[in-house]
Amino acid sequence: MAKEFDVVVIGAGPGGYIAAIRAAQLGKSVACIEKWKNPAGELKLGGTCLNVGCIPSKALLASSEAFEDASHHLDDHGISVSDVKIDIAKMHARKDAIVNKMTKGIEFLFRKNKITWLKGHGKFTGKTDAGYQIDVAGDGGTESVIARNVIIATGSKARHLPFAKVDNRIVADNEGALAFDSVPKKLAVIGAGVIGLELGSVWRRLGAEVTVLEALPSFLGAADQGLAKEAAKQFAKQGLKIHLGVQISEVSATDSGVTISYADKDGHAQKLEADRLIVSVGRVPNTDDLGLDAIGLTVNERGFIDVDDHCRTKLPGVYAIGDVVRGPMLAHKAEDEGVLVAEVIDGQKPHIDYNCIPWVIYTEPEIAWVGKTEEQLKAEGRQIKTGQFPFMANGRALGINRADGFVKMIADANTDELLGVHIISANASDLIAEAVVAMEFKAASEDIGRICHPHPSLSEVMREAALAVDKRALNM
């Protein structure tokens, strides 16, 4: 007889495992289905984010930043070093140890909250009076379970190009790019999005000559263009070559390298030869092979599952969250939706303000924003006022040798309500949290300007940018 659960979550990435934990906290009987295996063949929780995404990439970014500091910037502090070397195998071992610690932590949380981990691939097979039937195919065979409520949290996978076969050795997606066994002399990246910029930055710092090819005519089109221009300037200064408006016609790979044929923004034919290529052209939802047709659920033309504001599908008791639904493909967005759905199932009335979900690119300097850009607000006809303050006027930023960038704040011209905050700086990923809190509470720029910030700290630039909205910055 099939086991029955109040909630079955399909997928144990950030959205799925958080949804399972919250549902268990609320007293539900919960199971979570996950089939992920690491290269050693071990089943692991955490999904793409913890295993081959957010966590390992940030570990490599930190290692590469430390190497670049030791190689080029310690002399600024009066520290002389010579013959700095990078041990790629040891760097990867550190990354893998962090990933293992995090995934083991989720296993502990599952045990603590009495969540059943169903190890295998979950697939709908029908609906009974008791609930939805799901078959879980694993190494030990197939097990059937019944769920009164189902949360689909199967995440996404890298989008591949038909003319660039990914082998994760010469031509890599995010998984392969996190595991290069040596630093390529020349590295090509297709796609100037978040993943392309972050992974391109890792290998550039370690010594690769990096060229990024982007099809769109503008750089970081989703960001405020003031921020995008500053980012482009900083990356160019670092040696990252970014070509916009290109049309790629062919990718030819051999055992020793790759050649990319493309037309540049002026239509001239070009060839780029590299030792390795990273393909980073977005991600697609993992909605295939879920047996959705068995319960009468379909996906839209882009492969996403349509949901309402509370992540409900058209079927009662079936929810979908994270990368398989509308909205940004961000781990923290998936987590919030996981909590929301667990609380909806419990009869609560939670709410997510999607305008207050922050975006972060973990380059150096980091790029982060929340709310709307100046371009979006002007297109809406909104009357706005802006304030901007540079880190070069901040004592803490100068002291840690991270004085590039600025904070830009946008407020309503009449009410002073904060409408968007855009940061390019060291630790922007942490600084943006203050802006998220402010916007959730519908704060005015004046509210941040009147809050005492510690001195010296990077956070003072947030206050100065808020004061600059009314042209009264104190240190500029």
Side-chain angles (χ1 to χ4, degrees), residues 219-243:
F219 180 60
L220 290 180
D224 186 274
Q225 285 308 288
L227 213 65
K229 286 178 184 175
E230 177 67 14
K233 183 179 82 174
Q234 294 297 334
F235 297 152
K237 191 165 71 173
Q238 294 166 11
L240 205 63
K241 298 173 185 172
I242 301 173
H243 299 292

Side-chain angles (χ1 to χ4, degrees), residues 290-306:
L290 286 175
L292 299 178
D293 54 342
I295 58 171
L297 194 60
T298 57
V299 297
N300 63 28
E301 67 279 359
R302 296 177 59 217
F304 292 93
I305 298 171
D306 290 325

Side-chain angles (χ1 to χ4, degrees), residues 353-367:
D353 184 347
Y354 285 90
N355 188 51
C356 291
I357 292 176
W359 291 69
V360 181
I361 305 174
Y362 292 87
T363 47
E364 172 57 45
E366 292 182 350
I367 301 164

